């Protein structure tokens, strides 16, 4: 190498070809490129279909048949395609990766073909130890049939055969199973794989005498009525995906060469779950796990479609992410969007059934799409103090749409706010608060306001000043007991009478409370840092209901310790009623208050017994 570099005037060395270790390449294909050995049959079908397509490009009336015969660990695949001459065999089968579609002026028709002939045969070595190809050319009728035989060690032979070896144009591929792979060449497995891969192929494909293709596709067949079509597609979905759909959506995008159907799942799924779809390329199943076919928000459907425009990856088991796929994804998303708007306009019962299961998906779409929000607004359900309503219905009932950002905040105030005539929407579920805040944009004039503790307290009736002054001692004892918990005590009169106390706070109060607790447990340095972050947020408050008989009895107690114990009990009960998660300090308080009340009751009873 050094001598060649130092003497540039010498003639360049003659080129060498790479030596391919076929066993290593087969191992690479089977363990890294292809997901399963089953793809060998798809490659054989692709080669046969491409050969027929090439012949029909020149002879439109040529037969279009593919026959598969499996028996005793062998497989024979016959097609009526364009066939090969001896020269074709050397150039196509002896050169890995050469595509027959690039030769003989067929470059312009490449979009009609599925795969590469050489690579397709090479994939058969995943299950076969020997491949034998017998072919006769349709382009050169006088040429003798030719035989190509290859072993998995990379060796091959080519020879011409007598004219009677194959009288008609076309190709026959013979496979002999490698050790341990005989099951892949069994008749049952070949039939199953052929049906899976080739159900939508446009030619006469049979395993023995049994037809494989099932044309026209279910979404293209004529049906006596729309209801009959829905039933037939539901049956197809159950056979294909294992579930009976809520509905089916036609996916017809002629400009992208796409025909198919989307099936709506009958049960809710997580938006984070990646949906898998079945994609056929010119009738041949490309993948049943296409994940990037639809927009992320359309996680509530499963699709099956046929396309002639999308580009497969090298393994031909998934789709190549490019501009075409992005455009198709947008177009299919628009079809699903149109289906939703169509239901809203003309079939409210089916829409209600869909939203009862998949409202989350529609909310995900609506928060980014004002037109979809405007269309779906009368139908999207929200949890409110008036029951499950749409925002449109709720806004018609209440001049201000109050909402909470968390489920806990909603639980705190729902019952009380409803009794005071204050309407509240629970914005704590996924996407809900964003949609509520977007409401004025699609419903001009609507007032939307986040509900906080001050707003709720302001809607509760104040107690007569003279009565509150008379209870000053009681309130002072109650406030002293809850002060270490950063909670104030407020006296108000409100309905329902059965609620003795209401715990109110907001996020800023909870943040300040968490900061204070962390400061107490931190070392001096960290405590100083947390102390510098001390905010001026309002503290949580325990609102006592002056109308409640229990509160009236407690307020008449004269023992400060008993008042404190009773206040702690009311505080704990209010937390439990709001379904708030309890902090360690809250749990300790509940335990202390419970024991205190038991001791007081026991002591009182004992005193009564002694007096007797």
């Amino acid at each position: 190498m050094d001598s060649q570099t130092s003497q540039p005037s010498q003639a360049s060395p003659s080129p060498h070809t790479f030596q391919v270790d076929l066993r290593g390449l087969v191992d690479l294909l089977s363990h890294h490129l292809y997901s399963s050995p089953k793809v060998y049959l798809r490659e054989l079908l692709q080669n046969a279909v491409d050969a027929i397509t090439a012949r029909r490009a020149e002879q439109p009336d040529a037969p279009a048949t593919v026959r598969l015969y499996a028996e005793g660990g062998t497989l024979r695949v016959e097609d009526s395609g364009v066939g090969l001459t001896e020269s074709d065999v050397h150039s196509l089968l002896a050169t890995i990766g050469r595509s027959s579609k690039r030769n003989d002026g067929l470059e312009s028709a490449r979009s009609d073909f599925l795969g590469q002939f050489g690579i397709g045969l090479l994939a058969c070595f995943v299950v076969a130890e020997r491949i034998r190809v017998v072919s006769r050319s349709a382009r050169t009728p006088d040429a003798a049939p030719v035989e190509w035989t290859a072993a998995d060690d990379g060796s091959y032979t080519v020879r011409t055969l007598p004219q009677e070896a194959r009288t008609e144009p076309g190709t026959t591929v013979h496979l002999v199973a490698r050790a341990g792979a005989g099951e892949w060449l069994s008749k049952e497995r070949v039939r199953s794989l052929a049906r899976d891969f080739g159900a939508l192929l446009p030619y006469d494909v049979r395993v023995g005498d049994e037809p494989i293709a099932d044309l026209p596709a279910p979404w293209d067949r004529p049906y006596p009525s729309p209801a009959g079509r829905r039933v037939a597609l539901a049956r197809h979905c159950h056979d294909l995906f294992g579930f009976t759909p809520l509905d089916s959506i036609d996916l017809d995008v002629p400009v992208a060469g796409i025909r198919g159907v989307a099936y709506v799942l009958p049960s809710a799924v997580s938006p984070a779950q990646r949906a898998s779809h079945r994609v056929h390329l010119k009738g041949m199943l490309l993948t049943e796990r296409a994940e990037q076919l639809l927009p992320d928000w359309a996680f509530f459907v499963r699709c099956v479609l046929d396309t002639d425009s999308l580009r497969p990856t090298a393994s031909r088991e998934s789709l190549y992410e490019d501009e075409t796929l992005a455009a198709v994804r947008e177009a299919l998303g628009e079809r699903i969007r149109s289906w939703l708007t169509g239901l809203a306009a003309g079939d409210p019962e089916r829409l209600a059934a869909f939203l009862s299961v998949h409202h989350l998906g529609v909310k995900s779409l609506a928060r980014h799409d004002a037109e979809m929000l405007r269309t779906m607004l009368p139908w999207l359900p929200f949890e409110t103090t008036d029951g499950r309503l749409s925002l449109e219905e709720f806004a018609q009932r209440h001049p201000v749409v109050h909402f909470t950002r968390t489920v806990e905040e909603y639980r705190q105030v729902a019952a009380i706010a409803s009794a005071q005539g204050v309407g509240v929407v629970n914005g704590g579920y996924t996407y809900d608060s964003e949609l509520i805040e977007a409401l004025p944009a699609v419903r001009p004039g609507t007032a939307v306001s986040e509900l906080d503790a001050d707003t709720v307290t302001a809607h509760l009736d104040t107690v007569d000043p003279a009565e509150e002054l008379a209870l000053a001692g009681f309130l002072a004892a109650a406030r002293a007991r809850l002060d270490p918990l950063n909670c104030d005590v407020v006296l108000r009169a409100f309905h329902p009478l059965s609620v003795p106390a209401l715990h109110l706070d907001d996020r800023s109060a909870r943040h300040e409370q968490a900061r204070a607790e962390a400061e107490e447990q931190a070392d001096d340095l960290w405590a100083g840092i947390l102390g510098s972050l001390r905010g001026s947020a309002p503290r949580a408050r325990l609102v006592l209901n002056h109308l409640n008989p229990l509160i009236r009895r407690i307020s008449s107690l004269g023992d400060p310790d008993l008042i404190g114990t009773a206040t702690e009990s009311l505080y704990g009960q209010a937390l439990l009623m709001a379904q708030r998660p309890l902090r360690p300090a809250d749990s300790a308080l509940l335990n202390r208050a419970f024991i205190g009340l038991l001791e007081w009751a026991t002591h009182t009873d004992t005193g009564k017994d002694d007096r007797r």
Side-chain angles (χ1 to χ4, degrees), residues 264-603:
V264 181
L265 292 167
S267 56
V269 294
S270 167
Q273 180 178 329
R274 300 293 294 180
S276 297
H277 311 289
R278 289 176 63 96
V279 177
H280 295 256
L281 180 62
K282 305 178 185 69
M284 182 73 71
L285 178 65
L286 179 71
T287 179
E288 50 194 351
R289 295 188 302 274
E291 295 183 346
Q292 68 274 46
L293 188 65
L294 295 180
D296 290 341
W297 55 261
F299 55 83
F300 49 83
V301 298
R302 296 291 180 271
C303 297
V304 54
L305 55 83
D306 188 26
T307 176
D308 58 17
S309 63
L310 297 179
R311 176 183 170 190
T313 58
S315 67
R316 293 195 287 283
E317 292 187 277
S318 59
L319 298 172
Y320 189 82
E321 185 68 49
D322 57 12
E323 293 181 358
T324 302
L325 179 57
V328 165
R329 183 163 48 235
E330 183 177 348
L332 295 180
E334 185 57 39
R335 292 293 182 275
I336 298 174
R337 190 198 316 264
S338 298
W339 170 78
L340 283 171
T341 56
L343 288 186
D347 202 336
E349 290 186 2
R350 284 167 65 199
L351 179 63
F354 166 75
L355 288 178
S356 67
V357 178
H358 295 298
H359 56 272
L360 195 60
V362 179
K363 287 180 178 180
S364 173
L365 173 60
R367 69 195 178 110
H368 295 304
D369 189 325
E371 186 59 36
M372 180 56 63
L373 178 61
R374 187 176 293 108
T375 301
M376 291 291 106
L377 193 61
W379 308 101
L380 288 175
F382 289 80
E383 182 180 1
T384 78
T385 49
D386 293 351
R388 282 190 79 76
L389 297 175
S390 70
L391 291 182
E392 175 69 25
E393 292 175 290
F394 188 83
Q396 290 174 356
R397 298 184 183 186
H398 300 277
V400 177
V401 178
H402 291 287
F403 73 98
T404 62
R405 290 193 181 275
T406 69
V407 174
E408 284 115 359
E409 290 173 356
Y410 178 79
R411 288 170 178 166
Q412 282 180 4
V413 303
I416 305 302
S418 178
Q420 311 309 311
V422 179
V424 184
V425 182
N426 185 355
Y429 296 114
T430 306
Y431 309 133
D432 282 8
S433 61
E434 297 175 71
L435 294 176
I436 297 168
E437 290 180 306
L439 184 58
V442 297
R443 196 178 189 275
T446 303
V448 173
S449 175
E450 182 176 355
L451 190 68
D452 55 23
D454 288 335
T455 304
V456 176
T457 306
H459 280 83
L460 305 180
D461 293 335
T462 59
V463 178
D464 181 83
E467 291 188 56
E468 186 167 0
L469 182 60
L471 298 175
F474 159 71
L475 293 175
R479 287 166 181 158
R481 186 58 66 94
L482 294 188
D483 186 67
L485 296 173
N486 291 311
C487 183
D488 290 332
V489 176
V490 178
L491 189 65
R492 291 289 187 273
F494 56 86
H495 293 273
L497 299 180
S498 57
V499 177
L502 174 66
H503 181 271
L504 293 177
D505 65 1
D506 52 29
R507 281 169 295 149
S508 57
R510 289 196 294 273
H511 292 163
E512 174 60 21
Q513 191 175 58
R515 186 209 59 77
E517 291 176 355
E519 182 181 356
E520 291 178 2
Q521 301 172 9
D523 56 31
D524 292 342
L525 175 60
W526 188 238
I529 295 174
L530 291 172
S532 67
L533 298 176
R534 182 179 294 110
S536 58
R539 303 206 303 173
R541 65 198 69 175
L542 182 68
V543 183
L544 302 180
N545 187 359
H546 187 54
L547 300 180
N548 181 268
L550 177 62
I551 296 298
R552 287 182 174 273
R553 288 196 296 271
I554 293 174
S555 65
S556 64
L557 296 173
D559 185 348
D561 288 336
L562 184 55
I563 291 175
T565 300
T567 303
E568 288 181 334
S569 300
L570 291 169
Y571 174 85
Q573 189 263 354
L575 288 180
L576 293 175
M577 289 299 293
Q579 302 182 43
R580 286 281 305 278
L582 299 180
R583 301 168 299 158
D586 297 330
S587 299
L589 175 144
L590 278 172
N591 183 63
R592 184 172 64 247
F594 178 71
I595 297 299
L597 289 176
L598 283 179
E599 289 180 347
W600 178 81
T602 305
H603 175 75

Side-chain angles (χ1 to χ4, degrees), residues 41-323:
L41 192 68
R42 183 195 63 194
E43 299 294 344
L44 288 175
L45 288 175
Q46 283 185 347
N47 286 338
V49 169
D50 284 346
I52 294 172
T53 301
R55 183 176 180 185
R56 284 202 156 186
E58 301 175 4
Q59 303 173 21
D61 297 331
T65 62
V66 181
R67 298 289 183 268
L68 297 91
Y69 303 94
E71 184 177 359
T74 65
L75 175 64
R76 184 171 87 253
V77 181
E78 300 177 352
D79 70 65
S80 60
V82 69
L84 302 170
T85 64
E86 183 176 359
S87 175
D88 294 333
V89 167
H90 282 291
S91 62
L92 299 177
L93 298 183
T95 305
I96 300 303
R98 179 74 60 84
S99 172
S100 62
K101 278 67 90 176
R102 295 190 178 97
N103 295 276
D104 300 313
L106 292 181
E107 176 72 24
S108 61
R110 283 185 64 195
S111 64
D112 295 329
F113 300 101
L114 298 172
Q116 291 185 318
F117 190 68
I119 289 291
L121 277 180
L122 183 62
C124 293
F125 279 120
V126 173
V127 298
E129 66 177 12
R130 189 169 73 254
I131 301 174
R132 176 171 168 257
V133 178
V134 176
S135 188
R136 182 164 190 154
S137 174
R139 295 194 185 107
T140 313
D142 296 335
V146 62
E147 177 191 71
W148 177 85
T149 305
D152 61 2
D153 62 1
S155 62
Y156 73 93
T157 60
V158 178
R159 67 188 180 104
T160 57
L161 301 177
Q163 293 286 349
E164 60 271 15
R166 185 176 178 101
T167 57
E168 296 296 327
T171 300
T172 302
V173 179
H174 303 260
L175 301 186
V176 177
R178 64 191 308 123
E183 193 271 338
W184 288 104
L185 270 63
S186 67
K187 185 174 181 179
E188 293 75 16
R189 178 58 66 93
V190 168
R191 182 192 297 115
S192 174
L193 293 178
R195 283 176 175 169
D196 202 31
F197 286 121
L200 300 184
L201 289 174
Y203 301 136
D204 180 10
V205 182
R206 298 171 184 254
V207 175
D209 295 327
E210 183 177 345
I212 295 303
D214 187 20
L215 294 176
W219 50 84
D220 285 330
R221 295 172 191 169
Y223 296 98
S225 66
R229 186 175 191 272
R230 281 199 297 271
V231 171
L233 289 179
R235 188 181 307 114
H236 174 250
C237 175
H238 189 273
D239 293 341
L240 203 61
F241 294 116
F243 66 85
T244 300
L246 283 178
D247 207 346
S248 57
I249 308 169
D250 284 325
L251 301 178
D252 184 8
V253 188
V255 70
I258 285 179
R259 288 283 297 161
V261 62
Y263 293 115
V264 181
L265 292 167
S267 56
V269 294
S270 167
Q273 180 178 329
R274 300 293 294 180
S276 297
H277 311 289
R278 289 176 63 96
V279 177
H280 295 256
L281 180 62
K282 305 178 185 69
M284 182 73 71
L285 178 65
L286 179 71
T287 179
E288 50 194 351
R289 295 188 302 274
E291 295 183 346
Q292 68 274 46
L293 188 65
L294 295 180
D296 290 341
W297 55 261
F299 55 83
F300 49 83
V301 298
R302 296 291 180 271
C303 297
V304 54
L305 55 83
D306 188 26
T307 176
D308 58 17
S309 63
L310 297 179
R311 176 183 170 190
T313 58
S315 67
R316 293 195 287 283
E317 292 187 277
S318 59
L319 298 172
Y320 189 82
E321 185 68 49
D322 57 12
E323 293 181 358

